[in-house]
Amino acid sequence: MNILLLGSGGREHALAWKLAQSAQCEKLFAAPGNPGIAQYAECLALDATDHQAVIAFCNDERIGLVVVGPEAPLVDGLADSLRGAGVPVFGPSKAAAQLEGSKSFTKEMCLRAGIPTAGYRRADSEAEAMAALDAFGLPVVVKADGLAAGKGVTVAMTREEAEEAVRDIFAGRFGSDGAQAVIEEFMEGEEASYFALTDGSTIVPFGTAQDHKRVGEGDTGPNTGGMGAYSPAPIMTPMLRAEVVSKIFAPTVKAMADAGMPYSGVLYAGLMLTREGPKLIEYNCRFGDPECQVLMMRLESDLAEFLLACAQNRLAALEPPRFSDDTAMTVVMAANGYPGTPEKGGAIHGIEQAEASGAQVFHAGTARGTDGTLVASGGRVLNVTAMAETVSEAQKKAYKAVDLIDFPSGFCRRDIGWREVERENAGG
């Protein structure tokens, strides 16, 4: 079948790389894609916000499956439009995508369904948010309610920091997403991610990961979209995974179906592993970035088969997906200035050498210069990804590949996976 993949980042490059390996994929299109995706797909200018144009393209090219990479088109209702036109699509409806599009929606759903999560208060004005801060001690978590490209969350260690975060939200720093805020209690523990596919009834676990949100080594500095990740997350034991399925995923899928908005697609649960057990931090309605990169490296099953089964409500008919037991690690190479104003246009060389060393390099924010040279075009630019038997070995392999890439206007963290490396060393 012909497949259309929407998106242009590292997540979409990883999806394109895996979809192109599928026995079911006759031809892969990507809109808009990037220079890395272009190795596997025909890239085209197709505006995902123009639903009729996307539907017309699907009809013209006999598209058998649309895979929506980023969250914005899902929150915008593209999946509804495609389903209405009879086009199979992997991704939730506009109503169901509120799980990511509105933090207060998710909090209210958790409250109704008894899903463990942090205590919270929703605020519709700056004054309400300031008053809500009084209900929580320090530290406290301040979130813009809607989509904010992974940057609308502040873990405030002081009252001044919390008030500044509130003012930023209601001053419009996150655009229309600043109309509301959610103030949450701070949860103690280690963070991990767990993914599941669902067609609205069947739930299929789809791997664990841990990422590094802070820009600086030792998990310091401002939050980013993610500076690196590894999978699996050994801290997510079989017992913990079973608890997440029974206490978080299953009640969510049931609650969404009961509310008349069945969820179809990937559920990406950000979790805090507290002393009381795993608690939901938030949901994303798409594969994580850069978590998708490490999941796709480990996935041994046919990705297209699972995504199509999701779209056609027949996940129950498939055998569970197979993943390698090895560890995959990805290191994000970002442009200087990220997560503020990144330096664009910097030349990049050496990707072939890095891949010859055994790594896979996914393009996250790249473009071709006028002379054909690969250049940086975004904040997060490359995802250098490697597989090995242990986290320590995967880390060495990934950084060996990083050091073969010539990207003078870029940087990366040198400690991705540090917690698990420490645990491995302590156990050894």
Side-chain angles (χ1 to χ4, degrees):
M1 65 179 168
N2 294 340
I3 300 174
L4 171 62
L5 171 65
L6 299 176
S8 63
R11 166 184 49 227
E12 287 76 32
H13 188 177
L15 291 171
W17 174 74
K18 203 68 189 175
L19 287 168
Q21 298 170 29
S22 170
Q24 301 201 28
C25 182
E26 187 175 338
K27 183 168 184 180
L28 182 61
F29 296 91
N34 66 35
I37 293 171
Q39 297 173 65
Y40 310 102
E42 180 181 326
C43 294
L44 54 131
L46 185 62
D47 183 0
T49 64
D50 187 342
H51 296 191
Q52 290 310 308
V54 176
I55 290 167
F57 177 83
C58 291
N59 290 334
D60 290 346
E61 296 295 340
R62 298 178 296 105
I63 299 297
L65 175 66
V66 177
V67 178
V68 184
E71 62 277 15
L74 296 168
V75 173
D76 185 47
L78 178 60
D80 304 79
S81 298
L82 288 166
R83 286 191 184 99
V87 180
V89 56
F90 177 77
S93 66
K94 179 175 183 173
Q98 289 180 91
L99 278 180
E100 178 167 3
S102 170
K103 293 175 178 64
S104 60
F105 173 89
T106 301
K107 285 294 188 180
E108 288 156 14
M109 183 272 298
C110 288
L111 194 62
R112 289 194 308 273
I115 295 167
T117 187
Y120 77 101
R121 287 199 182 179
R122 173 181 145 177
D124 296 321
S125 68
E126 184 176 319
E128 267 188 66
M130 293 297 188
L133 293 176
D134 296 330
F136 300 96
L138 291 170
V140 66
V141 182
V142 181
K143 297 180 176 180
D145 186 50
L147 297 179
K151 297 172 188 173
V153 178
T154 299
V155 179
M157 307 307 289
T158 66
R159 177 70 183 213
E160 292 74 23
E161 199 178 353
E163 290 182 358
E164 183 183 356
V166 167
R167 284 192 291 269
D168 280 348
I169 289 171
F170 288 98
R173 181 178 170 191
F174 305 106
S176 61
D177 302 317
Q180 295 169 337
V182 173
I183 313 299
E184 292 184 8
E185 70 170 325
F186 176 78
M187 293 189 290
E188 296 250 11
E190 190 167 335
E191 288 189 43
S193 302
Y194 198 13
F195 297 80
L197 302 184
T198 179
D199 55 13
S201 53
T202 300
I203 298 168
V204 175
F206 209 72
T208 63
Q210 284 187 291
D211 76 335
H212 298 68
K213 287 289 185 202
R214 302 278 187 173
V215 73
E217 291 174 21
D219 296 324
T220 58
N223 272 330
T224 71
M227 294 300 294
Y230 59 93
S231 175
I235 197 168
M236 289 293 294
T237 62
M239 187 180 296
L240 275 176
R241 296 199 300 271
E243 191 174 350
V244 172
V245 171
S246 65
K247 293 184 178 179
I248 297 177
F249 283 140
T252 297
V253 171
K254 183 179 186 305
M256 295 299 283
D258 289 348
M261 49 183 85
Y263 189 99
S264 174
V266 61
L267 273 174
Y268 161 14
L271 303 167
M272 186 66 76
L273 307 181
T274 74
R275 289 175 184 171
E276 298 84 38
K279 294 185 179 183
L280 181 70
I281 301 172
E282 63 184 15
Y283 271 128
N284 291 321
C285 63
R286 35 70 189 184
F287 285 108
D289 189 347
E291 294 90 345
C292 182
Q293 290 83 314
V294 288
L295 288 175
M296 292 306 114
M297 284 287 282
R298 293 183 53 235
L299 180 64
E300 294 174 344
S301 298
D302 187 318
L303 177 65
E305 185 178 13
F306 277 88
L307 303 192
L308 184 62
C310 243
Q312 295 178 336
N313 300 316
R314 51 179 184 81
L315 263 182
L318 299 187
E319 293 292 319
R322 299 182 311 280
F323 286 89
S324 168
D325 292 331
D326 285 355
T327 291
M329 178 176 290
T330 192
V331 176
V332 171
M333 298 186 76
N336 289 340
Y338 180 78
T341 304
E343 182 181 331
K344 296 184 180 180
I348 303 164
H349 300 282
I351 288 179
E352 298 82 2
Q353 291 88 329
E355 293 193 328
S357 76
Q360 183 70 37
V361 181
F362 296 114
H363 294 226
T366 66
R368 292 286 176 192
T370 52
D371 61 354
T373 301
L374 191 70
V375 298
S377 65
R380 294 184 296 169
V381 179
L382 299 172
N383 309 136
V384 184
T385 314
M387 286 253 293
E389 200 169 313
T390 66
V391 179
S392 302
E393 290 169 2
Q395 186 190 60
K396 288 174 188 171
K397 194 171 174 181
Y399 281 110
K400 178 183 176 184
V402 164
D403 291 337
L404 291 169
I405 295 174
D406 179 22
F407 180 26
S409 63
F411 73 98
C412 68
R413 279 182 58 168
R414 306 293 305 191
D415 65 344
I416 300 303
W418 67 269
R419 275 196 192 88
E420 204 53 52
V421 169
E422 281 186 1
R423 283 193 278 255
E424 281 184 355
N425 292 339

